[in-house]
């Protein structure tokens, strides 16, 4: 069983790494998602594997599986959810603005404004 | 009696950020007032905390759960020092932002305070997973800030910045998990105890965990070959954001110092030695890469970005030794680097603003309005960055070279630090003379002669003055950093403060 | 006691001219001169004591940790140089007041001049060598500003850059040298270091220290091969050239040599390096000077030559040579500054410095001519003038110097150097002031106002006096030389006539030979031009330009803005470090008993493997990619369930749903397929790295899974009920034991939502782009709303909401809790958007997700702060029982409020994230006609120049 879980972690991580190394933003995002699956599983596995011992206290339910990694993974899942959501939208917006979803930056994109108070439409309220 | 002040640097920005969300969208002024007031308060509290930290480390058990079972927040000299630096830079950044940058996108101040919350949380926490959480907070806030102002460049480099850091965060989780998997704890003090008592058969895994952590922090402090994100993100980012980022890179340096003076101290599993073997060459390369980048920069933003890289290299070259003198020197240089980094980025923003279409590119095309003031400031910033006396860069370098004297890597370190000094000097001189001399100084144009520009100049001047003070009061500052380093090297103080009866594997 | 004032008055006084800028040249010059005079008076007040041989000191610690102290002391040497600096300073300021054109900004000029003066005084009066280093670099910086004063001229900028690069760079070498020296001697106080000469000389670090210090001194004093920067520094206004680049700054290096003479002077290494360098410099400088046409260039190279001469004398390491050096420093300062000022006058009057265009000016400007010619004669070493005396002494010492066993070598070359200097001096005087009158036609040269020639006279008169009665200088030279050698001097008499000595013969030879060269000038010049001449400046510029270009190319190739490469390098390094870390430490296999593989587990594993395989191989079909990713996520959540983590399973699955919806919505606007972009070899490399990372992660996991450990979590299991008031330990940990983590976690969520919201408040252009993409043929949803879906979702809404409440409340005791509840409720609403369309939903749900998030964070925060009121730390919980019908007995803990905060944030985030994307898509449906892009319009790409209107949008 341990072998199965360990190799599953390996598979997820490997697939994630490969996709992260693609050029297109969306593919990279998916790669990061797979990576997060892999690492969440890893983190979870750090509490070792137990079957049918959920850490929900019942009379004579002991021993229980290690609840701490589960809590950590839960936090990690939530955080990576937030991150993924943000990055997806970032990729989307980048595509909408530049017409390409290539993750590399083109010279033509390297344009920005300077100065604390810009000439022009600074009146826009946030 | 519980000292609630310790948690305030986390709670205050959080509440401020939320309050800002409740303020009506239209009331720019009220946002600015709240934001600045909060940062001022934070600065005051940081000073007070530095005072409290003089009685040695003290732990604050969040949720009233005893360590190592709950999460502890720990105030010691190091964290207090970092808080001071952060709030000082934050003050400058926010004052610069309210001149106009904050109106060029949504939620600037909210994100700004969330970023502060993340930074302060990372400096204060005594729990390794909680460190991860606050890293994420400061990162996601920084993504928002990098994007502030919009435009294709920020979107693309923002994505790259986020992607690189998400990779780093994944590695962070692997490392934390691994450490928990073999030690069964997350509390740093407890980790220190358990790591020391770890059986030899776990050392290989422990080393992997330590090195993975090191990678995460190396990404944060732009250590070659993990530095890629910095030039791009710092070049695209909005000026006040990048000014605050001057502290961001230091979070990585802080984490390295903290981990390796507390958890992996005493050469547990030979980690300290390995760290030095890795960090010294890497930092040297970083410094050289930064210097080369400065010499070869095509724009003032590149100049600023790569000089940041170079200063991180210097800092880590000093810190690698983990000796009292080295750490003290590194901390002094850290303060200097925060100030001057922020100053430089704000200054570049001001200069570029006055040059119209040429913007920040190193071309002798557009004359700089107010060349005397801005040129003077650039001259001083350059001096400080290169390490020319009498500004703090010089004092920092003397302290570092002194600290490295007699170590195994002394010759290499001295050669690199002094040699790159020449490159940096030439790079800054070229840039300065191209922008401020070759282009010829024009009469102040109305749009930049506005009070806005003058106020912005004042902020930069204040930061530069900061470096001057840092060197004028160098004796006192170095005393403080000496005390900090001494406290770090006596980790028992920290451990006792956190877990009077730190649980050992036997218990 | 007053010593620091000598340094401080000019340094701080530097602000005065800057302020007096409005007052014009006169005003600025006046304040500047006053400052210098004030400093001079202070200096003279301590002079008597010093002349009695009682050095005056001052010491205040500054940064003891690095040995930096504000310690000054005035001994003979210091007094001599300080007086030189201040007197020259006053003269130059007076001269400069007339020299500057009305158009030149005087404030900047005199301010920099005073700053330089202060720094220079600092060098010569510092006792602490780190402090000296500080001033040393300051002189480099202020001279940079002064050389670049006319920054509209290219040669000014280049000259300034080169000067700073060379002297500043040398300064860094000196920096290292000083630290080494201080380290060896155990002190940075000069007065003490001198006492420890033996310790220094016996140290293994003696060599490096000496080399580095000499590097600093030689660059500063333009010694060969660093001599080339000085002539180009002559682009500076003439007063500056006269002051910095002949009288003072370039003497800083000499001063340093003199200062450290007692430490290094009598060692072999010193003689072997310093003497020949000085000799070479003397010859090279003099030789070049002979053939220059520009007045200032001649003077510049002659300065180089004379600096070489002095260096050589100090290099000899004999006390008499040191005496000669001191005397020559004085003499050179007198006649060279005079010559520079005269050159400035000529330039001022005729508008040219080219000797070829000048001649016979003695008629037009007799006073200037008289002064200049006298000074030139002194430079040539003509008897009855001060130059002669010191040159005699130089030749005298040279005649005793034996280098490389050759007794004739040094004397011969020294004579040659003297001979050259005669040649260029004679040529200069002859061409400019004698012969038939020549000057640019439009110029009407005549003697300038007294203000300009008086300073020259003030310098020339003593040159004559000392030439006639050298003994007058005796007491001064004795005190100074004594300070240099740091001990007693041999008996000597400064006199005009020493009898028929070899030195006399050598100077006669030099005088005759010099004239002889001029006779055969043109043939020699032809030969010289024929020979290859390395142009140092060209080499320097080329190397700098090359270096910059090379580094730029390097940066461009490495920093290629390509994420793929960055990620590759980072992950490669990570894997490498991981492997390294593992292999370099002892490892023992674990002994923990393993579980038997169960059938569902094996099946799940298979599904996962296939899904990931497809993801890798077919990733260019994006819809498929998302699908298999969702499958992988599903398997992961089942894994959690299988290994007794119901909360994780629930969370994972709900997050899974939302993420998938999000990705699908995004995909609607993004291209549906990815082009193949990376070649096979690179793909293989990527695959290799991926495999390695996967293998690494797997092995780590296995290694841990198979060993035992002692976790802290037993405490959590034990305390969950009594301390945390809940039976679902995971939830209790989340909201109580580690509520602080959760606090940070919801803030991350909140920030994500805010940023997403900001990102999708689209600009007109991006909106059009969105509408454009939404029209893509493959895209149907959003416009069509199948009735069945609509009805079911609307019926489901209340049910789901109730379920949410239930999940929320039971969370503390059974799997569930704020987060999962929030996701469920969020999804319920999102279904309305998807099913009934954005417009419909948007009209019905009137709540601001941002406020909701804010409220959530606030609630969580306040719950935490609340515990302060009871004297407990942040986020301390309390709990009690409450009975709610249907749901049953609920452990109603304060953490429920905290969890409510979590709930609010999650709902808000889900709504904001998904609704905003839905909004973007909906624009595609209801795109106003005027917003329609013209046929064939390409999405505009922002190009330079900066497009502000794009800038202003987020």
């Amino acid at each position: 069983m341990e072998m199965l879980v360990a190799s599953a972690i390996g598979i997820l991580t490997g697939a994630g790494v490969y996709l992260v190394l693609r050029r297109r933003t969306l593919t990279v995002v998916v790669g990061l998602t797979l990576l997060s699956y892999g690492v969440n599983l890893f983190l979870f596995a750090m509490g070792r594997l137990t079957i049918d011992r959920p850490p929900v206290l019942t009379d004579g339910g002991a021993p229980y599986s290690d609840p701490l990694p589960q809590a950590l993974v839960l936090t990690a899942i939530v955080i990576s959810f937030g991150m993924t959501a943000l990055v997806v939208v970032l990729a989307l917006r980048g595509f909408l603005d530049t017409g390409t979803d290539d993750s590399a930056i083109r010279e033509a994109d390297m344009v920005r404004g300077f100065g604390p108070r810009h000439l022009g439409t600074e009146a826009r309220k946030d | 009696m519980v000292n609630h002040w310790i948690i305030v640097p986390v709670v205050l920005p959080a509440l401020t950020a939320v309050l800002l969300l409740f303020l009506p969208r239209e009331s720019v002024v009220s946002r600015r007032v709240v934001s600045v007031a909060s940062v001022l308060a934070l600065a005051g509290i940081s000073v007070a905390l530095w005072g409290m930290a003089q009685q040695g480390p003290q732990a604050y058990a969040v949720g009233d759960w005893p360590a190592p079972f709950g999460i502890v927040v720990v105030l010691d000299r190091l964290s207090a020092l970092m808080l001071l630096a952060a709030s000082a830079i934050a003050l400058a950044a926010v004052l610069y932002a309210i001149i106009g940058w904050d109106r060029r996108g949504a939620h600037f101040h909210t994100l700004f305070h969330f970023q502060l919350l993340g930074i302060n949380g990372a400096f204060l926490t005594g729990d390794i997973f909680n460190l991860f959480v606050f890293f994420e907070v400061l990162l996601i806030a920084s993504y928002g800030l990098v994007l502030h102002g919009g435009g294709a460049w920020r979107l693309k480099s923002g994505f790259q910045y986020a992607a690189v850091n998400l990779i780093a965060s994944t590695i962070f989780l692997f490392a934390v998990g691994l450490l928990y998997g073999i030690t069964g704890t997350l509390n740093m003090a407890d980790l220190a105890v358990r790591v020391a008592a770890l059986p030899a058969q776990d050392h290989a895994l422990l080393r992997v965990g330590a090195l993975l952590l090191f990678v995460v922090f190396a990404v944060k402090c732009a250590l070659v070959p993990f530095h890629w994100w910095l030039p791009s993100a710092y070049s695209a980012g909005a000026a006040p954001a990048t000014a605050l980022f001057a502290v961001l890179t230091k979070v990585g340096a802080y984490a390295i110092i903290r981990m390796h003076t507390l958890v992996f101290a005493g050469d547990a599993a030979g980690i300290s030695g390995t760290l030095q073997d890795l960090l010294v060459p890497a930092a040297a390369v970083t410094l050289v890469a930064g210097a080369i980048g400065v010499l070869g920069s095509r724009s003032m933003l590149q100049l600023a970005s790569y000089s940041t890289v170079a200063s991180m290299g210097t800092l880590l070259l000093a810190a690698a030794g983990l000796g009292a003198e080295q750490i003290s020197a590194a901390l002094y240089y850290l303060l200097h680097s925060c100030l001057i980094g922020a100053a430089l980025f704000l200054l570049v923003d001001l200069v570029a603003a006055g040059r119209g279409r040429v913007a920040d590119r190193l071309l002798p095309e557009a004359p700089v309005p107010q060349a005397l003031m801005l040129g003077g400031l650039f001259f001083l910033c350059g001096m400080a960055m290169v390490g020319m006396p009498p500004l703090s860069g010089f004092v920092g370098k003397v302290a570092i070279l002194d600290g490295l004297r007699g170590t195994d890597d002394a010759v290499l370190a001295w050669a690199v630090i002094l040699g790159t000094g020449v490159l940096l000097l030439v790079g800054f001189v070229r840039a300065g003379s191209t922008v401020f001399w070759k282009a010829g100084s024009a009469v102040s144009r109305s749009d930049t002669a506005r009070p806005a520009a003058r106020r912005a100049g004042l902020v930069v001047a204040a930061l530069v003055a900061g470096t001057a003070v840092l060197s004028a009061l160098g004796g006192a500052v170095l005393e403080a950093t000496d005390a900090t380093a001494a406290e770090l090297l006596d980790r028992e103080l920290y451990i006792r403060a956190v877990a009077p009866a730190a649980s050992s594997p036997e218990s | 006691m007053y010593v620091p004032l000598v340094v401080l008055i000019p340094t701080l006084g530097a602000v005065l001219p800057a302020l007096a800028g409005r007052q014009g040249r006169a005003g600025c010059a006046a304040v500047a001169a006053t400052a210098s005079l004030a400093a001079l008076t202070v200096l003279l007040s301590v002079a008597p004591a010093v002349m009695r041989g009682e050095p005056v000191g001052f010491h205040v610690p500054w940064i003891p940790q690095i040995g930096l102290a504000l310690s000054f002391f005035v001994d003979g040497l210091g007094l001599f140089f300080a007086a030189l600096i201040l007197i020259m300073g006053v003269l130059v300021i007076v001269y400069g007041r007339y020299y500057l054109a009305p158009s030149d900004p005087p404030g900047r000029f005199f301010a920099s001049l005073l700053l330089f003066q202060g720094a220079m005084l600092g060098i010569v009066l510092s006792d602490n060598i780190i402090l000296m280093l500080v001033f040393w670099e300051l002189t480099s910086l202020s001279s940079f500003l002064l050389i670049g004063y006319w920054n509209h001229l290219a040669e000014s900028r280049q000259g300034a850059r080169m000067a700073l690069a060379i002297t500043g760079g040398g300064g860094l070498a000196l920096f290292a040298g000083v630290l080494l020296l201080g380290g060896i001697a155990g002190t940075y106080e000069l007065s003490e270091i001198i006492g420890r000469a033996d310790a220094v000389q016996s140290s293994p670090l003696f060599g490096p220290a000496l080399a580095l210090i000499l590097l600093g001194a030689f660059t500063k004093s333009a010694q060969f091969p660093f001599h080339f920067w000085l002539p180009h520094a002559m682009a500076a206004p003439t007063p500056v050239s006269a002051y910095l680049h002949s009288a003072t700054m370039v003497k800083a290096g000499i001063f340093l040599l003199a200062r450290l003479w007692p430490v290094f002077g009598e060692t072999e290494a010193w003689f072997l390096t310093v003497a020949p360098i000085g000799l070479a410099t003397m010859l090279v400088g003099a030789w070049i000077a002979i053939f220059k046409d520009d007045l200032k260039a001649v003077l510049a190279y002659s300065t180089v030559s004379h600096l070489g001469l002095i260096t050589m004398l100090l290099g000899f390491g004999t006390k008499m040579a040191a005496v000669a050096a001191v005397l020559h420093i004085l003499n050179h300062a007198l006649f060279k500054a005079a010559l520079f000022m005269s050159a400035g006058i000529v330039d001022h009057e005729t508008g040219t410095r080219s000797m070829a265009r000048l001649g016979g000016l003695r008629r037009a400007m007799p006073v200037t001519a008289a002064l200049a010619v006298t000074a030139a004669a002194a430079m040539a070493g003509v008897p009855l003038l001060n130059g002669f005396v010191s040159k005699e002494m130089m030749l005298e010492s040279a005649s005793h110097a034996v280098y490389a066993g050759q007794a004739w070598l040094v004397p011969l070359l020294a004579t040659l150097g003297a001979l050259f200097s005669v040649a260029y001096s004679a040529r200069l005087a002859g061409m400019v002031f004698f012969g038939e009158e020549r000057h640019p036609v439009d110029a009407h040269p005549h003697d300038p106002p007294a203000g300009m020639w008086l300073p020259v006279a003030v310098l020339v008169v003593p040159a004559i006096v000392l030439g006639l009665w050298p003994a007058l200088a005796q007491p001064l030279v004795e005190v100074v030389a004594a300070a240099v050698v740091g001990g007693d001097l041999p008996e000597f008499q400064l006199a005009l006539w020493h009898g028929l000595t070899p030195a006399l013969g050598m100077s006669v030879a030099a005088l005759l030979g010099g004239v002889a060269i001029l006779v055969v000038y043109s043939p020699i010049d032809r030969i010289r031009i024929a020979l290859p001449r390395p142009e140092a400046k060209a080499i320097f510029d080329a190397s700098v330009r090359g270096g910059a270009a090379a580094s730029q190319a390097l940066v461009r190739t490495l920093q290629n803005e390509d994420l793929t490469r960055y990620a590759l390098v980072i992950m490669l390094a990570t894997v490498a470090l991981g492997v390294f870390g593992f292999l370099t430490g002892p490892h023992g296999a674990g002994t923990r008993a393993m579980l038997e593989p169960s059938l569902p587990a094996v099946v799940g594993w298979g599904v996962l493997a296939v899904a990931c395989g497809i993801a890798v191989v077919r990733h260019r079909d994006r819809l498929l990619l998302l699908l298999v990713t969702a499958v992988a996520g599903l398997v992961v959540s089942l894994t959690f369930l299988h290994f007794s983590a119901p909360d994780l399973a629930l969370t994972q699955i709900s997050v899974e749903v939302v993420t998938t919806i999000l990705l699908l919505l995004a995909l609607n606007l993004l291209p549906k397929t990815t082009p193949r972009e990376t070649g096979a070899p690179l793909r293989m490399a990527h695959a290799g790295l991926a495999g390695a990372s996967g293998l690494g992660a797997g092995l780590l996991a296995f290694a841990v899974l198979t060993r035992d450990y002692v976790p802290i979590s037993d405490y959590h299991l034990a305390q969950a009920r009594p301390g945390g008031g809940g039976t679902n330990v995971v939830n209790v940990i989340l909201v109580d034991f580690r509520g602080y983590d959760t606090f940070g976690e919801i803030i991350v969520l909140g920030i994500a939502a805010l940023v997403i919201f900001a990102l999708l408040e689209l600009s007109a252009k991006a909106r059009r782009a969105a509408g454009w993409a939404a029209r893509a043929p493959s895209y149907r949803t959003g416009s069509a709303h199948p009735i069945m879906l609509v009805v079911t979702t609307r019926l489901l809404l209340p049910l789901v909401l109730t379920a949410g409440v239930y999940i929320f409340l039971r969370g503390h005791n059974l799997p569930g809790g704020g987060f999962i509840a929030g996701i469920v409720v969020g999804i319920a609403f999102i279904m309305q958007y998807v099913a009934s369309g954005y417009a419909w939903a948007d009209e019905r749900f009137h709540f601001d997700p941002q406020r909701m998030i804010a409220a959530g964070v606030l609630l969580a925060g306040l719950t935490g702060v609340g515990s302060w009121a009871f004297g407990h730390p942040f986020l301390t919980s309390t709990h009690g029982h409450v009975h709610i019908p249907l749901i049953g007995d609920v452990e109603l803990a304060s953490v429920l409020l905290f969890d409510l905060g979590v709930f609010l944030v999650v709902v808000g985030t889900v709504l904001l994230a998904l609704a905003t994307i839905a909004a973007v898509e909906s624009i595609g449906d209801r795109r106003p006609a005027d917003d329609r892009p013209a046929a064939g319009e390409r999405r505009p790409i922002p190009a330079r120049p900066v497009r502000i209107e794009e800038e202003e949008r987020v």
Side-chain angles (χ1 to χ4, degrees), chain B residues 2 4 7 10-11 15 18 21-22 25 60-66 68-71 73 104-107 110-111 114 117 127 129-130 133-134 137 140 144 149-150 152 154-155 159-160 163-164 167 171 174 178 180-181 183-186 190 194 200-205 207-208 211-212 215 225-228 231-232 274 278 292-293 295-296 298 306 357 361 372 379 383 389 394-395 398-399 401-402 405 414 418 421-422 425-426 429-430 433 437-438 471-472 474-475 478-479 482 505, chain C residues 62-63 65-66 108 130 133-134 137-138 141 144-145 148 151 157 160-161 164-165 168-169 172 175-176 179-180 183 188 544-545 547-548 551-552 554-556 558-559 561-563 566-567 569-571 573-574 577-578 580-582 584-589 697 700 703-704 707 709-713 715-716 719 723-724 736-738 740-741 743-745 747-748 751-752 754-755 757-759 761 850-851 854-855 857-858 865 868 871-876 942 944-945 950-954:
Chain B
V2 200
H4 294 298
I7 198 76
V10 176
V11 175
L15 296 183
V18 173
L21 279 175
F22 281 114
R25 290 175 153 225
Y60 180 86
V62 182
D64 215 2
W65 295 105
F69 310 109
I71 298 174
V73 168
R104 298 180 50 204
H107 300 312
T110 310
L111 290 171
F114 276 136
L117 154 76
D127 182 283
F129 186 81
N130 189 246
V133 171
F134 278 102
V137 172
I140 197 160
R154 295 199 177 106
L155 289 167
F159 182 85
Q160 294 193 346
V164 167
I167 296 172
I171 300 170
F174 271 114
L178 196 52
Y180 179 82
T183 63
T185 188
L186 297 165
D190 194 26
R194 294 189 178 212
Q201 63 160 5
D202 291 348
H203 280 187
L205 293 174
R207 290 170 59 81
V208 177
L211 287 183
L212 290 182
V215 167
F226 306 103
H227 65 293
W228 309 102
S232 165
T274 310
L278 294 171
I292 288 178
L295 185 58
R298 284 164 289 151
Y306 281 103
R357 301 181 161 202
R361 276 169 289 172
L372 205 55
F379 187 72
M383 280 169 65
F394 174 78
V395 179
V398 179
L401 294 179
D402 247 349
R405 197 195 291 271
W414 276 46
L418 293 165
V422 182
L425 178 65
V426 175
V429 169
R430 277 173 61 92
S433 78
W437 280 0
K438 207 164 176 184
S471 93
L478 276 167
E479 261 172 40
D482 285 344
Chain C
W62 178 4
I63 309 182
Q65 294 92 336
I66 60 172
R108 216 173 96 218
I130 296 186
L133 194 65
V134 171
E137 296 287 35
L138 278 179
L141 290 167
F144 169 76
L145 293 176
N151 53 46
R157 297 194 300 269
R161 285 212 302 267
L164 182 54
L172 285 165
F175 186 172
L179 287 190
L180 282 181
Y188 286 108
V544 169
R545 218 178 296 108
S551 22
Q552 194 176 109
L554 190 66
V555 171
R556 271 191 157 170
L558 290 181
Q559 198 81 30
E561 306 295 341
D562 177 1
L563 174 63
Y566 300 172
V569 176
I570 290 176
M571 294 195 285
T574 310
L577 277 182
F580 166 78
F582 187 84
T584 48
H587 176 67
L700 285 180
V704 175
R707 61 187 54 219
Y709 71 131
V710 187
I712 53 176
S713 46
Y715 177 91
H716 301 108
Q719 284 297 315
D736 201 334
F737 289 109
R738 299 187 67 88
Y740 192 46
D741 280 345
F743 184 60
E745 160 199 321
I747 286 175
V748 170
I751 299 172
L754 293 182
V755 177
F757 177 73
L759 272 171
E761 260 195 336
Q850 297 197 37
R851 292 276 169 89
V857 176
L858 189 62
V865 177
W868 288 354
H872 290 297
F874 188 60
L875 288 175
T876 308
R944 293 175 184 274
E950 301 307 333
E951 282 298 322
E952 298 308 314
R953 298 281 191 278
V954 169

Side-chain angles (χ1 to χ4, degrees), chain A residues 9-28:
Chain A
I9 291 168
I11 293 168
L12 283 165
T13 313
V17 168
Y18 184 80
L19 291 183
V20 166
L21 290 171
R22 303 302 95 203
R23 290 188 65 85
R24 298 288 161 164
T25 50
L26 187 72
T27 323
V28 173

